[in-house]
Amino acid sequence: MISSTSTWSKYVFIALEGAADAVPAGKLELLEEGIKPIASTFVYGNKYLQRANAVAVDPVSMPLHEAKKSRETVFQPPAGLALFGAIRDAAPDSWGRRVIENMLRAAPDGLPETEYLAHAGPHRTGALDFRDAPNAPAEPGKLPDAKSLTYLLDAAAMIQDGKPVPKKLQLLFSVGATFGGARPKAVLLDDNRQWVAKFPVARDGFNVPLVERATLELARQCGMRVPETRSIHLPDGRDVMLIERFDRMLLPEGSFGKRHVVSALTMLKMHESDTASASYTDLADTLSDHGATGFVAADKTELFKRMVFNILVTNDDDHLRNHAFVWDGAKKGWRLSDLYDVVPKPQVGSERFLVLGVGPAKGRLATLDNALSAAGRFGLLKHVAAEIIQHLSGVVREWRTCFEAFDVPKTECDKIASAFRKPQSIGLREVEKT
Ligand SMILES: Nc1ncnc2c1ncn2[C@@H]1O[C@H](COP(=O)(O)OP(=O)(O)O)[C@@H](O)[C@H]1O
Ligand SMILES: [Mg+2]
C-alpha cells in the first residue's frame, strides 16, 4: 500500500510568563506519511528572538543561543526522533487521544499526530498553541466547573466504552478533557483556579482518586512540593480527585497566564520506548544543566526525595512523562514541576523495581540503600541523604493516619497496604549505618 505524505505547517505560539495571550515564536513544519510523523523542522521568528523574555520552545533541541548565532537556523528533532519533544508534549499521549477520537469518530490511535496536536485545544498542558497565521487569535474554550462533574464522568464512561458522546455533552466535556496520561480526567475551573480532575475507573481495584490524593498529601507531609488537592464525593457515591494546575496562574485582570512545561522525556531527548534506560540521576543532571538560578540544589534534593518516596510507597509508574520541568521566567531557568501522579501499587513480591534507575549500586531496584548510593549525584552528602531517607521512612510509616485524615476508609487502606513495605526490610538498616 502506498501512503501519501503531507506537511503540516503551523505557527507555534507561546504564552510568555505573566501574559494572558500567546505570541508567535516560530514556524513548524511536520512531515507525515499516512498517520506516521516522519520529520520536523522549526525556525524561530526574528521578532521573537528579540524579545527579552523569550524562552526556548524546546530547551534541548531548539536552544535560543543557537538560533541567535545565525538567523533562520533550521532546527530538527534529536537524532532518531520525528517530533520535537516539546511539540510532542503539546498533544495528549493517551486519554486525550481517546477524547479526540471520540469527537472525530476515529479508531484508537487512528489519527495523524497533527490531528491530536490540532485538537488538544487552548487548555492543553503547558504554554504552546498552534495557529495558521502569525496574527491568528486564540481558540476560545470555556471550562466547565465542579458542578458539571457528574456529566463529565458520564461522558468519560462513554469514551471508555467506545460509545459516541452526544453533541451537547461533547461541547461541555471536550473543552478540557484532552489531557494526557492513561486515566480519564478533565480540566475544571473552580474558585477561580484551574484543576485537573481525575476520575475513577470501573475496573479499579481500589478507590484510586481518594488514595492518590492521600498519597500526594503524605508527600506534602514529607516536605515535598505538591499542588493543592481536593476530593469531591458525588451524590452517586463516586469520588473524584482535584489537583491544582501548576502550569496556570490567575492574572490580576482575571484571565489565566500559562507556564511553559516540558516533560522529562523531552529533556532527555528520548522516545517513549527508551524510558527504561533513563535514571533519576539523569534528571538531576538535567537540573544542573538547565535549572533556574538559585533553585538547582533545592530541586535536586526534591527529586531525591521523590525517588525515595516512590520506593517507600511502591509508586512504580514513575516514567518520564510523570516528571516535568516548568520554565521560571524570572530566574531564566527550569524548575522541577510540582509533584503529580503518585499512586501506591499493592503487590505480592517484596523485590520491586522503579521504572527509572535509582542508584549506581543496584540499578532500578527499589531499595533505600540503593537510593543512598546515588546521593552524590543529587549534590547531597551521604549523611544528609541518609537523614532524608530516615525522615521520609518515619513519615510514610504513619501513612494510615494520614490516609484516614483524608477520608480514605480503612477497607481501602487494607487493599493497598502491601504497597508499603517495612523500611527495615528495604535497606533502612544499611542507611542508618551511614
Ligand atoms: N497539577 C498539574 N498541573 C499541570 N499539569 C498536570 C498536573 N497533573 C498532571 N498534569 C499533566 O497531565 C498529565 C496526566 O496527568 P497524570 O496525573 O499523570 O495522569 P495519569 O494518572 O492518567 O497518568 C501529566 O503527564 C502532566 O503532563
Ligand atoms: Mg501520568
Side-chain angles (χ1 to χ4, degrees):
M1 200 180 80
I2 303 164
S3 51
S4 58
T5 54
S6 55
T7 303
W8 196 68
S9 302
K10 292 280 169 186
Y11 288 88
V12 177
F13 277 64
I14 185 162
L16 295 169
E17 220 163 330
D21 199 15
V23 297
K27 190 103 193 270
L28 172 74
E29 304 240 305
L30 210 163
L31 185 67
E32 286 174 312
E33 199 170 76
I35 64 167
K36 198 172 167 256
I38 51 174
S40 316
T41 58
F42 179 83
V43 180
Y44 281 106
N46 285 328
K47 203 167 154 206
Y48 183 72
L49 291 174
Q50 282 156 22
R51 288 178 186 272
N53 57 352
V55 45
V57 171
D58 184 321
V60 290
S61 55
M62 311 171 180
L64 283 181
H65 59 88
E66 286 287 329
K68 285 178 184 168
K69 263 195 248 160
S70 80
R71 283 176 60 168
E72 306 277 312
T73 304
V74 180
F75 290 98
Q76 290 184 346
L81 298 185
L83 294 169
F84 292 101
I87 303 295
R88 174 188 55 195
D89 288 345
D93 61 328
S94 182
W95 168 252
R97 289 171 106 85
R98 306 295 89 81
V99 176
I100 293 166
E101 288 150 6
N102 194 291
M103 286 193 309
L104 303 181
R105 307 279 187 264
D109 289 323
L111 294 167
E113 192 60 32
T114 49
E115 286 289 314
Y116 298 110
L117 278 168
H119 288 93
H123 302 293
R124 74 181 81 213
T125 311
L128 299 187
D129 197 4
F130 304 90
R131 304 187 196 168
D132 289 325
N135 55 359
E139 206 184 314
K142 192 173 173 303
L143 285 170
D145 60 22
K147 288 200 243 27
S148 312
L149 266 174
T150 305
Y151 297 114
L152 300 181
L153 262 70
D154 290 347
M158 289 176 204
I159 286 166
Q160 289 168 92
D161 292 344
K163 294 187 189 138
V165 176
K167 205 79 209 160
K168 207 169 148 203
L169 190 51
Q170 199 187 87
L171 287 175
L172 175 77
F173 183 67
S174 60
V175 180
T178 53
F179 253 49
R183 296 186 62 82
K185 57 180 74 59
V187 178
L188 294 182
L189 187 65
D190 210 48
D191 281 346
N192 258 334
R193 295 155 85 172
Q194 287 195 21
W195 308 81
V196 182
K198 296 187 70 179
F199 303 163
V201 174
R203 60 170 190 282
D204 282 340
F206 55 91
N207 188 326
V208 176
L210 283 189
V211 167
E212 180 170 356
R213 183 195 181 207
T215 310
L216 286 164
E217 293 301 330
L218 186 65
R220 193 194 312 284
Q221 290 181 2
C222 289
M224 279 172 265
R225 260 194 295 123
V226 184
E228 187 162 334
T229 69
R230 289 183 186 170
S231 57
I232 296 185
H233 190 66
L234 297 177
D236 61 17
R238 291 180 291 183
D239 289 294
V240 175
M241 174 191 107
L242 303 192
I243 177 165
E244 186 168 15
R245 289 186 71 170
F246 52 71
D247 58 345
R248 291 294 180 270
M249 52 190 166
L250 187 66
L251 300 174
E253 71 264 23
S255 55
F256 283 92
K258 298 180 179 180
R259 293 203 165 98
H260 189 30
V261 178
V262 293
S263 68
L265 200 57
T266 292
M267 280 298 203
L268 297 186
K269 297 188 186 172
M270 282 185 170
H271 186 264
E272 208 90 53
S273 53
D274 305 324
T275 284
S277 64
S279 65
Y280 281 92
T281 51
D282 294 332
L283 301 187
D285 293 346
T286 295
L287 286 166
S288 302
D289 294 345
H290 299 276
T293 316
F295 289 105
V296 175
D299 280 1
K300 280 162 89 168
T301 304
E302 169 87 16
L303 182 64
F304 183 77
K305 287 183 186 167
R306 292 183 189 181
M307 174 173 81
V308 171
F309 189 74
N310 287 340
I311 293 170
L312 289 167
V313 307
T314 315
N315 170 40
D316 63 358
D317 190 32
D318 56 330
H319 55 75
L320 292 172
R321 283 185 191 270
N322 278 340
H323 300 275
F325 296 86
V326 182
W327 176 249
D328 183 328
K331 298 288 174 191
K332 296 223 175 296
W334 293 85
R335 299 281 322 263
L336 188 65
S337 82
D338 287 354
L339 186 66
Y340 60 92
D341 204 4
V342 183
V343 187
K345 167 100 127 330
Q347 340 197 325
V348 181
S350 59
E351 192 188 56
R352 299 177 187 175
F353 296 88
L354 299 187
V355 170
L356 300 183
V358 174
K362 296 174 185 165
R364 294 162 44 237
L365 190 70
T367 61
L368 299 172
D369 51 320
N370 192 20
L372 185 68
S373 76
R377 296 283 300 276
F378 293 83
L380 293 169
L381 293 170
K382 271 259 147 76
H383 78 274
V384 176
E387 278 165 22
I388 291 174
I389 294 172
Q390 277 179 308
H391 174 234
L392 264 60
S393 300
V395 177
V396 174
R397 208 181 270 127
E398 303 301 321
W399 66 274
R400 277 182 184 264
T401 312
C402 169
F403 277 39
E404 208 177 293
F406 288 96
D407 304 322
V408 185
K410 184 176 174 304
T411 46
E412 294 297 322
C413 289
D414 291 344
K415 289 182 195 164
I416 53 159
S418 66
F420 298 85
R421 294 170 295 173
K422 282 202 179 69
Q424 285 80 359
S425 68
I426 52 170
L428 186 63
R429 279 202 198 95
E430 287 82 336
V431 170
E432 280 170 347
K433 281 186 206 140
T434 309

